[in-house]
CSV table of all heavy atoms in Angstrom, one decimal:
chain,number,residue,atom,x,y,z
A,88,GLY,N,0.5,0.0,-18.8
A,88,GLY,CA,0.4,-1.2,-19.6
A,88,GLY,C,-0.1,-2.4,-18.8
A,88,GLY,O,-0.9,-3.2,-19.3
A,89,ASP,N,0.3,-2.5,-17.5
A,89,ASP,CA,-0.2,-3.6,-16.7
A,89,ASP,C,-1.7,-3.3,-16.4
A,89,ASP,O,-2.4,-4.3,-16.4
A,89,ASP,CB,0.5,-3.5,-15.3
A,89,ASP,CG,1.8,-4.4,-15.5
A,89,ASP,OD1,1.8,-5.5,-15.9
A,89,ASP,OD2,2.8,-3.8,-15.2
A,90,MET,N,-2.2,-2.1,-16.3
A,90,MET,CA,-3.7,-2.0,-16.0
A,90,MET,C,-4.4,-2.4,-17.3
A,90,MET,O,-5.5,-3.1,-17.2
A,90,MET,CB,-3.9,-0.5,-15.7
A,90,MET,CG,-3.3,-0.1,-14.3
A,90,MET,SD,-3.6,1.7,-13.9
A,90,MET,CE,-5.2,1.8,-13.5
A,91,LEU,N,-3.9,-2.1,-18.4
A,91,LEU,CA,-4.6,-2.5,-19.7
A,91,LEU,C,-4.6,-4.0,-19.8
A,91,LEU,O,-5.6,-4.7,-20.1
A,91,LEU,CB,-3.9,-1.9,-20.9
A,91,LEU,CG,-4.1,-0.4,-21.1
A,91,LEU,CD1,-3.3,0.1,-22.2
A,91,LEU,CD2,-5.7,-0.2,-21.5
A,92,ARG,N,-3.4,-4.6,-19.4
A,92,ARG,CA,-3.3,-6.1,-19.6
A,92,ARG,C,-4.3,-6.8,-18.6
A,92,ARG,O,-5.0,-7.7,-19.0
A,92,ARG,CB,-1.8,-6.5,-19.2
A,92,ARG,CG,-1.5,-8.0,-19.4
A,92,ARG,CD,0.0,-8.3,-19.1
A,92,ARG,NE,0.4,-7.7,-17.8
A,92,ARG,CZ,0.2,-8.4,-16.6
A,92,ARG,NH1,-0.3,-9.6,-16.6
A,92,ARG,NH2,0.7,-7.9,-15.5
A,93,LEU,N,-4.4,-6.3,-17.4
A,93,LEU,CA,-5.3,-6.9,-16.4
A,93,LEU,C,-6.7,-6.7,-16.8
A,93,LEU,O,-7.6,-7.6,-16.7
A,93,LEU,CB,-5.0,-6.2,-15.0
A,93,LEU,CG,-3.7,-6.7,-14.4
A,93,LEU,CD1,-3.2,-5.7,-13.4
A,93,LEU,CD2,-3.8,-8.0,-13.8
A,94,SER,N,-7.1,-5.5,-17.3
A,94,SER,CA,-8.4,-5.2,-17.8
A,94,SER,C,-8.8,-6.3,-18.9
A,94,SER,O,-10.0,-6.8,-18.9
A,94,SER,CB,-8.6,-3.9,-18.3
A,94,SER,OG,-8.4,-3.0,-17.2
A,95,SER,N,-7.8,-6.5,-19.8
A,95,SER,CA,-8.2,-7.4,-20.8
A,95,SER,C,-8.3,-8.9,-20.4
A,95,SER,O,-8.9,-9.7,-21.0
A,95,SER,CB,-7.0,-7.4,-22.0
A,95,SER,OG,-5.8,-8.1,-21.5
A,96,GLN,N,-7.8,-9.2,-19.2
A,96,GLN,CA,-8.0,-10.4,-18.5
A,96,GLN,C,-9.3,-10.6,-17.7
A,96,GLN,O,-9.5,-11.5,-17.0
A,96,GLN,CB,-6.7,-10.7,-17.6
A,96,GLN,CG,-5.5,-11.0,-18.3
A,96,GLN,CD,-4.3,-11.0,-17.3
A,96,GLN,OE1,-4.5,-10.8,-16.1
A,96,GLN,NE2,-3.1,-11.4,-17.8
A,97,GLY,N,-10.0,-9.5,-17.7
A,97,GLY,CA,-11.2,-9.4,-16.9
A,97,GLY,C,-10.8,-9.1,-15.4
A,97,GLY,O,-11.6,-9.5,-14.5
A,98,ARG,N,-9.6,-8.6,-15.2
A,98,ARG,CA,-9.2,-8.2,-13.8
A,98,ARG,C,-8.9,-6.7,-13.7
A,98,ARG,O,-7.8,-6.3,-13.3
A,98,ARG,CB,-8.0,-9.1,-13.4
A,98,ARG,CG,-8.1,-10.5,-13.5
A,98,ARG,CD,-6.8,-11.2,-13.1
A,98,ARG,NE,-7.0,-12.7,-13.1
A,98,ARG,CZ,-6.4,-13.4,-14.0
A,98,ARG,NH1,-5.6,-12.9,-15.0
A,98,ARG,NH2,-6.6,-14.7,-14.0
A,99,ALA,N,-9.9,-6.0,-14.1
A,99,ALA,CA,-9.7,-4.5,-14.1
A,99,ALA,C,-9.3,-4.0,-12.7
A,99,ALA,O,-10.1,-4.4,-11.7
A,99,ALA,CB,-11.0,-3.8,-14.7
A,100,PRO,N,-8.4,-3.1,-12.7
A,100,PRO,CA,-8.0,-2.4,-11.3
A,100,PRO,C,-9.3,-1.6,-10.8
A,100,PRO,O,-10.2,-1.2,-11.6
A,100,PRO,CB,-6.8,-1.5,-11.6
A,100,PRO,CG,-6.3,-2.1,-12.9
A,100,PRO,CD,-7.4,-2.7,-13.6
A,101,LEU,N,-9.3,-1.3,-9.5
A,101,LEU,CA,-10.3,-0.5,-9.0
A,101,LEU,C,-10.3,0.9,-9.5
A,101,LEU,O,-11.4,1.6,-9.6
A,101,LEU,CB,-10.1,-0.4,-7.4
A,101,LEU,CG,-10.2,-1.7,-6.7
A,101,LEU,CD1,-9.9,-1.6,-5.3
A,101,LEU,CD2,-11.5,-2.5,-7.0
A,102,GLU,N,-9.1,1.4,-10.0
A,102,GLU,CA,-9.0,2.7,-10.7
A,102,GLU,C,-9.0,2.6,-12.1
A,102,GLU,O,-8.5,1.6,-12.6
A,102,GLU,CB,-7.7,3.5,-10.2
A,102,GLU,CG,-7.6,3.8,-8.7
A,102,GLU,CD,-7.0,2.6,-7.9
A,102,GLU,OE1,-6.7,1.6,-8.5
A,102,GLU,OE2,-7.0,2.8,-6.7
A,103,THR,N,-9.5,3.6,-12.9
A,103,THR,CA,-9.4,3.5,-14.3
A,103,THR,C,-8.0,4.2,-14.8
A,103,THR,O,-7.6,3.9,-15.9
A,103,THR,CB,-10.5,4.3,-14.9
A,103,THR,OG1,-10.6,5.5,-14.5
A,103,THR,CG2,-11.8,3.5,-14.8
A,104,GLN,N,-7.4,5.0,-13.9
A,104,GLN,CA,-6.1,5.6,-14.2
A,104,GLN,C,-5.3,5.5,-13.0
A,104,GLN,O,-5.8,5.4,-11.9
A,104,GLN,CB,-6.3,7.2,-14.4
A,104,GLN,CG,-7.2,7.6,-15.6
A,104,GLN,CD,-6.5,7.2,-16.9
A,104,GLN,OE1,-5.3,7.4,-17.1
A,104,GLN,NE2,-7.3,6.8,-18.0
A,105,PRO,N,-3.9,5.4,-13.3
A,105,PRO,CA,-3.1,5.4,-12.0
A,105,PRO,C,-3.3,6.7,-11.2
A,105,PRO,O,-3.6,7.7,-11.8
A,105,PRO,CB,-1.6,5.4,-12.6
A,105,PRO,CG,-1.8,5.1,-14.1
A,105,PRO,CD,-3.2,5.4,-14.5
A,106,ARG,N,-3.1,6.5,-9.9
A,106,ARG,CA,-3.2,7.7,-9.1
A,106,ARG,C,-2.0,8.0,-8.2
A,106,ARG,O,-1.2,7.0,-8.0
A,106,ARG,CB,-4.5,7.7,-8.2
A,106,ARG,CG,-4.5,6.6,-7.2
A,106,ARG,CD,-5.7,6.8,-6.4
A,106,ARG,NE,-5.9,5.6,-5.5
A,106,ARG,CZ,-5.2,5.5,-4.4
A,106,ARG,NH1,-4.3,6.3,-4.0
A,106,ARG,NH2,-5.5,4.4,-3.7
A,107,PRO,N,-1.7,9.2,-7.8
A,107,PRO,CA,-0.6,9.4,-7.0
A,107,PRO,C,-0.6,8.7,-5.7
A,107,PRO,O,-1.6,8.8,-4.9
A,107,PRO,CB,-0.5,10.9,-6.8
A,107,PRO,CG,-1.6,11.5,-7.7
A,107,PRO,CD,-2.5,10.3,-8.0
A,108,GLY,N,0.4,7.9,-5.4
A,108,GLY,CA,0.5,7.3,-4.1
A,108,GLY,C,1.6,7.9,-3.2
A,108,GLY,O,2.0,9.0,-3.5
Side-chain angles (χ1 to χ4, degrees):
D89 276 303
M90 290 174 79
L91 287 173
R92 183 176 57 82
L93 288 157
S94 296
S95 73
Q96 295 172 349
R98 301 183 179 107
L101 301 178
E102 297 84 4
T103 52
Q104 297 289 325
R106 63 174 173 76

